[in-house]
Amino acid sequence: MQNNLIEIKNLFVEYKIESALNEQKKVFAVNDLSLDIKRGEIFSIAGESGCGKSTLGKAILRLVDVKSGEICSLIDNSYKNILKLNKKELKKFRQQSQIIFQNPYSSLNPKMKIYDILKEPLIVNKELESLRSLTKKDIDQIILDTIEQVGLDRSALSLYPHEFSGGQRQRIAIARALVLKPQFIVADEPVSALDVSIQAQIINLLNYLKEKFNLTFLFISHDLSVIKYLSDRVGIMYLGEIVEIGTSEDIFNTPKHPYTEALLSANPGNKKDKIILTGDLPSPSDLPLGCKFHTRCQHAMEICKTVTPSKTQFSETHCTYCHLYQNGER
């Protein structure tokens, strides 16, 4: 426990939407999800679009409402449930926990110069004890150091976001996340909007920053090649649930869950036979009973249709939620 920075237990997140007939429906975005994120690691979440990856990241930072569950974070050397923090405690948590969004252009204010974009978090959080005594000279130095740490020149501070390329804008977004010296960063598809050559630069930058500042990342992506290169551990997510967790080597060398196997087989670099999923993808507003993957799984059994699988532990680092192992089918 003491090695964990974030601990999530039985998390549920639901959205309410209106159908074409003006009927209210619930979207079950995260369903009874539990996982731990260790200090100093890059924990990646992989899965198809719509599986709840981004919702999970936003829930950890309290950017979306949570129905039930616990999200505990290490604050002032003690674990606190961030869902129960008061306004002052939440502000401190958000100083320690930042986010990098997918689109670097829409996440930056087009009317503000880069200097002001980086200065704003320092001013907004000025009441925090660690920032209270900062002078203008201190703030200028922090901003200058931060922009240089992400590989940009100080001349960038006098420009506007539209004057940069996509990769440069993402570096600015990373600098904004870094300026408060956080411990934990949610990186929500931070390279998916960039060209492949620029993706590699940003990935290397994130790896460098992780080592330099001992940062902890929740890295959200559908690109398995990026996840394989960058991650310490990986969680595979399907319809709001974690179906497998392991180290990068566990997941990519010895996948256990049929959904993980199907994801890996769809990766462009895969040289083995493709696994073609049949059956219907359930709607997040009308989830099936039992294992949520049984409607598409080629190994589905009768028990899969009614009983939610429990955890099967293969090693200290590797586990899955699948009836195939609990019933001796594998």
Side-chain angles (χ1 to χ4, degrees):
M1 180 175 180
Q2 291 301 316
N3 197 35
N4 296 331
L5 184 65
I6 303 288
E7 297 183 353
I8 303 171
K9 298 177 182 177
N10 308 116
L11 184 68
F12 287 86
V13 180
E14 295 178 2
Y15 296 122
K16 290 183 179 179
I17 61 171
E18 283 195 3
S19 68
L21 300 175
N22 293 325
E23 297 175 342
Q24 275 208 343
K25 285 189 174 183
K26 290 182 179 179
V27 174
F28 304 100
V30 177
N31 303 294
D32 201 15
L33 184 147
S34 299
L35 61 84
D36 301 327
I37 302 174
K38 302 181 187 302
R39 282 182 284 191
E41 76 170 349
I42 297 179
F43 186 99
S44 292
I45 295 287
E48 295 168 293
S49 296
C51 71
K53 304 186 298 294
S54 294
T55 296
L56 172 61
K58 292 173 183 176
I60 293 174
L61 300 182
R62 271 187 60 173
L63 298 179
V64 296
D65 292 332
V66 170
K67 180 186 177 184
S68 62
E70 291 185 4
I71 305 172
C72 295
S73 178
L74 192 61
I75 303 173
D76 294 334
N77 296 318
S78 65
Y79 286 96
K80 296 181 181 179
N81 185 353
I82 69 161
L83 303 178
K84 296 183 178 179
L85 298 181
N86 59 38
K87 188 175 180 180
K88 184 177 179 181
E89 291 172 327
L90 182 59
K91 201 161 193 175
K92 185 163 189 177
F93 168 73
R94 284 181 170 160
Q95 177 209 355
Q96 299 174 356
S97 305
Q98 292 289 306
I99 186 168
I100 303 166
F101 291 101
Q102 178 177 355
N103 189 328
Y105 190 71
S106 63
S107 66
L108 300 173
N109 190 331
K111 296 182 179 181
M112 294 176 69
K113 291 184 177 181
I114 305 310
Y115 173 85
D116 295 317
I117 287 174
L118 299 186
K119 180 182 177 182
E120 187 175 38
L122 297 169
I123 300 302
V124 169
N125 292 280
K126 188 80 183 223
E127 66 190 62
L128 293 173
E129 186 177 347
S130 58
L131 304 176
R132 201 175 297 153
S133 61
L134 291 180
T135 64
K136 184 181 184 303
K137 184 178 179 181
D138 294 330
I139 290 173
D140 288 346
Q141 190 61 51
I142 290 171
I143 291 171
L144 179 59
D145 290 344
T146 305
I147 202 70
E148 290 179 345
Q149 284 161 357
V150 299
L152 294 176
D153 188 78
R154 65 172 65 195
S155 61
L157 297 173
S158 61
L159 303 178
Y160 291 91
H162 74 269
E163 298 180 82
F164 296 90
S165 67
Q168 289 172 324
R169 284 196 293 263
Q170 195 60 292
R171 289 176 185 269
I172 293 164
I174 293 170
R176 183 180 57 184
L178 284 176
V179 76
L180 288 174
K181 296 181 171 51
Q183 300 176 30
F184 175 65
I185 295 178
V186 174
D188 187 5
E189 300 271 13
V191 297
S192 63
L194 306 177
D195 293 338
V196 174
S197 59
I198 305 302
Q199 285 184 9
Q201 296 176 20
I202 299 301
I203 291 165
N204 288 332
L205 173 62
L206 293 176
N207 221 3
Y208 162 76
L209 294 171
K210 178 235 179 185
E211 297 297 331
K212 182 175 178 65
F213 298 110
N214 193 32
L215 293 170
T216 303
F217 280 92
L218 175 65
F219 186 85
I220 298 167
S221 180
H222 62 270
D223 190 326
L224 294 173
S225 300
V226 171
I227 284 177
K228 183 178 182 180
Y229 174 76
L230 195 62
S231 309
D232 296 300
R233 289 193 302 143
V234 181
I236 304 298
M237 197 167 180
Y238 183 77
L239 288 179
E241 299 180 356
I242 293 292
V243 298
E244 186 167 357
I245 293 178
T247 63
S248 184
E249 291 78 12
D250 291 334
I251 297 298
F252 287 93
N253 296 338
T254 56
K256 300 296 185 182
H257 198 281
Y259 178 62
T260 307
E261 295 173 341
L263 275 184
L264 295 177
S265 84
N267 195 36
N270 176 52
K271 297 180 181 178
K272 299 178 181 178
D273 292 338
K274 300 288 184 183
I275 297 174
I276 307 299
L277 295 179
T278 59
D280 297 325
L281 174 63
S283 166
S285 61
D286 187 21
L287 297 177
L289 297 174
C291 174
K292 303 299 183 290
F293 187 58
H294 82 259
T295 61
R296 303 167 74 194
C297 180
Q298 60 182 329
H299 305 292
M301 304 173 287
E302 283 302 313
I303 191 174
C304 303
K305 300 176 183 179
T306 55
V307 180
T308 301
S310 55
K311 181 193 289 188
T312 299
Q313 197 81 36
F314 301 102
S315 68
E316 186 178 341
T317 59
H318 194 186
C319 68
T320 192
Y321 297 81
C322 181
H323 286 298
L324 290 174
Y325 300 95
Q326 294 157 19
N327 287 272
E329 299 292 325
R330 283 193 168 186

